[in-house]
Every structure is written in structure tokens, then in C-alpha cells.
Amino acid sequence: MGLSSFIQDNFVPHIPRSSEQVHRTQTSEIGAVGSSPAQEDKKGEVSSIHSTVSYSSRDSSNHLHRSLRGRHVQLLGIGATIGSALFVAIGQALPYGPLNLFLGFLVWSLPILCITITTAEMVTYLPITSPFVRLAGRCCDDALEVMTAWNFWFLCCAQIPFEVVTVNSIIHFWRDDYSAGIPLAVQVVLYFLINIFGVAIYGEVEFWLSLGKVVLAVGLILFTFVTMVGGNPKHDAFGFRYWRDPGPISSYEFTGSTGNFRGFLACLIRATFTFAGPEYVSLVASETINPRKTLPSAYKQVFIRLTIFFIGGSLCVGILVPYNDPLLLQSQGVTKPGAGGSPYVIAMQNLGISVLPDIVNVLLITAAFSAGNSYTYCSSRTLYGFALDGYAPKFLTATTKSGIPMYCMLISLAWSLISFLQLGEGASEVLNWIINLITSCQLINFSILCFTYIFFYRATKAQGIDRRSLPFRGWFQPYLAIFGGSMAFIMIFVGTYGIFMPGGWSYKTFLFSYLMIFIDIGIFIFYKLFRRTKFKRAAEVDLVTGLKEVEEHEAWYYQQLEAKNQLSADGEIKRTWWQRVCEVLFGSEMR
């Protein structure tokens, strides 16, 4: 490949023609399933090994490449959710007591479970580009889709500069005799390069970065266990000592029993910012190999792993550090450089351990870098899916030959330039505003996910679709969706209740906590009035467009496996011992 061809394939986007199809599906429809040209005349009719004949239409707008395997999808979902907050910011809630912290994360895991199950059922059925965003328009109202897309795009974009600044802050753990602009610029360039050279390269890079987060999370849980039973330089088997002295609950800045409850609320609010997940798995649906087999396993595995890490992490920091530790209290309201603000590092310093803080610091850099990389990917795909439906300028649908939505990626990555505010005064204040915006956007997004599912559920019943035939069927629906959505909606307002308490009013906090609510309502009303949209009737909801592309991909995929002699006589995949190990660790796209 010459230089000109390399540049043409990877850096020059083009707007696809409306009749253009994904390359691999152009040749697979007949060869894979043995259909004849006469059968092609039956509109939308196609068979595949894993589906009966369906009268579905193809969503020919998916010009992305299905290159991500099960291990990629799972660790991409984990990587987008686990950032520095799990290892550093989690300590901000510890002064309210280890029991409050543990209960806060435990309680919030229940709505996250409901939201994950709800999202999984919709997306695994129709794994199209930006699925939960576009399903909001298909199942509910086009105005809701527009509002959802902008809300989620803003959520992803706002987190890019947050993670970029976090990486620079971590580097200051070692030295600060350099311009903060240098690492900021280097990180932005690296995000660009990783995201420009095809989704397979992005998936591989993010896989290893996310694996580093998993190693760090598991390593710190093991560190907690070893040290609490006496495996530390002081040979002190302290166990749950700090749950007894100074105690499990603290009112901290509040007083009395009311103060204890407000301490629990503070921990629950911290969990809503830290604990997320299902929407990031959804974003890779249109670029996943064999999605209707890969995604159900991915959703289950990601939730289980994240629950272990977040709930386990909240338990570990309460074991390692007392809530009244002087170093911990000094870090409240102050961002200490690098890993210095992490309760794990505080515990290492208290125990006289000198090497591990540097190791934790290196892994924290990969954690924050990986999270920012994931948000760059998610934001660009959201904007791309938005443009495909005509809700953004047409030039945003342009992709390179390697399947990268170039303009969407550049516009989303431009948000990282906000990180350069760190070079001036007030940068930390601006980032605190961004955190408030992120939390409100995330909770609004969860509420919309569950609201959309209720309409999806009604549509399947009205159109006679047996939910037992879906790739994944949630339990106790639609009640779990109602519970999860209601909890997320309530927490939008509970999260900032403090500004309505005596002496707590701040117009800046109010503005940046509720800004996205006003913006979202404004977008919804404006588009609804401008386009005169109406909520869809259950019988009229489009639940078939896009299925044909998925079915053709499945047929093509299994044809490739059969050609490579990787399918057994009964249609099962042939696995080596190593592949079986990976199936246990990362799930399987064949299950």
C-alpha cells in the first residue's frame, strides 16, 4: 500500500450513497443461505442459520464495520465505566462512614441491574447504530430521539476533558516542573490516532487498556484482603477494626440521626456518578461480530464484573482507612496530585509501603486514559447515528474506507480542548460544573432508556412478537423498567437537594445541576412543535428495519466459519482449549 492509498483509506471521508451497502453483505445474501435470484424479489425476505424467514427491511445506513469480538465488547463496556473515580474519587464519600459508603453503592446497583436488563432486551433484538437513541424515536417520538441523542452526546463529550485533566493530575504525582499543556496535547493526539485507524485497532487497544483496569481493581481487592489479615510491614491483622473504631457511620458535616441519613444520601449520590455501564455496551452494537450472540453474554458479564468492582471497592476502602483519617480529611474538597488522593494510597502510606503507590499511579494513568478513549468513541458513534436519521447535517454521515465517521470523531474530540482550562485559574471549578452536568445527563439518560423500553414492550405485544423468541428476554418486565427509570428520575433531584437546604443555596450549582433538564425539555418542545411529531401507536412502531442487515451478517459470518472448517456437523463452533478459557473469562459470541 502506497502513502497516497494509506491517506485515502484512513483520512479521507466520503458520504455514502443511499443505495450503497456494507461490502460484506453484498456477496453473502445468496451464497450464505443458498437463495436464488427469484427469491430476491420477495421484499425484505432473507433466511439465516439462526433465524426463520423474516419480512424485515435492511437499514442500509450502517456503513460501520462489524469487527469487535466478545472480549472487546465486554472490556469496552468495563473500560468506559471504570475511570479514576473508582480508585480516587470514591474516597470523597468515605468520611460519611464505611457502612454508608457500602450501602450507597449496594442500593444503587439495584437500579443499574434493572436498567441493564431493560437495555439488553432492546439492543440485542435490534443491534443497529446508536440503538437506544434511535429506538427512542422508533418506539416513542422523533422529538424524544433528538433529545436523547443530544443528551447522550453531551454526556460522552463532557467526560473527555474530565479524564484528560485527570491523567495530567496523576502525572503530577511524580513531578510538576513542566507545562500542563504538554501531556494534555499528547493525550488528545493519541485519542485521535487510536480512533482513526479502524474500529478493530481501537477495540484491540481499548481491550488491553481496559484489561489494565481490571488488573488494578482485582489487585486492590486482593491487596485489601492480604493487608487486613496481617500481610503488611507492620504485621497488623486489623480486619474490620475501623468499622468498630471510629465506627461504621458518621454524620461528618451533619449532626444527629438526620445527619447519618444525609451521610447515606451523600454516598448514594456519589454512587450515581461513579456506577454506570449498559449504555456503553450498546454503543458498539453496530460494530460487533455476530451481535445477537455476543451482546446478551456481554451485558450479563459486564454487569457482574462492574458490580463486583464497585461494591467490592466501596467495601475495601472502608476496611483500609478510618473515616476520620487526617490524610483522608485533608483531601476532601481538594484534588491531591495523582494517586495521592486515593484511599488505597493513603492506606499504603499508613502501613509504610513505599513501592505500591507508584505502581497504582501507573495503572491509574491507564484507567483514566482508557476512559477518555472510550468516551471519544461513544460520542462519535452517537453523533454518527444521529446524522444517519437526518437530525444533524448530512456531511456527518461521511466515513473513511476503514469505516470511521471522521467528522463526527473530530467534532467530539474537540471537546477535549476544554481540558486546557487547567492552564488558567478556575479550572477545577469548571470541572466541578462538568461533573454536575455529567451526573444529571447520565440520570436523564437512564430514565429515557427505561421509558423507551415501556413503549418497546407495548409494541411487541401489539404486533404479536413473542418475547421468548428474542435473543435476550428480561425478567419481570415491564416492572423492572418502571422501577429502574423511576429511581434514576428521582435521583436527578435528590442529587442536588442540598442547595435547597438552609444556607445551601448556590445559583451556580443550581444552574449546572439542572441546566441539561432545561436544555432537554427545550429541545423536545422545539422539535415537537417545529416538526409536529406525535407519539407512535404500538401497532405502528417499526421493529423490523435493520434486522435484515443483522441476519445477512450472521449468514456471512457462519459462512466464513464453515469455509474455515470451524463449524461442527451440528452447527456448533469448534474451540481450542485456549478459546474455552477465554469463553469463561470474557463470554462468547457463539453463546
Side-chain angles (χ1 to χ4, degrees), residues 553-568:
H553 166 75
E554 287 180 344
W556 170 86
Y557 182 64
Y558 283 96
Q559 180 190 28
Q560 300 300 309
L561 292 176
E562 189 172 10
K564 297 176 182 178
N565 195 30
Q566 295 180 356
L567 281 180
S568 61

Side-chain angles (χ1 to χ4, degrees), residues 21 29 56 65 87 102 108 279 438 450 459 486 531 534 567:
Q21 298 176 348
E29 186 170 340
S56 61
H65 291 183
F87 311 111
F102 178 72
W108 186 243
E279 67 272 37
I438 289 172
C450 296
S486 300
R531 293 285 188 176
K534 296 181 180 179
L567 281 180

Side-chain angles (χ1 to χ4, degrees), residues 44 164 177 222 236 286 297 312 364 399 406 426 525 550 554 582:
V164 170
D177 57 343
L222 292 176
D236 180 14
S286 63
S297 173
L364 278 175
T399 60
M406 173 68 79
I525 294 176
V550 177
E554 287 180 344
C582 290

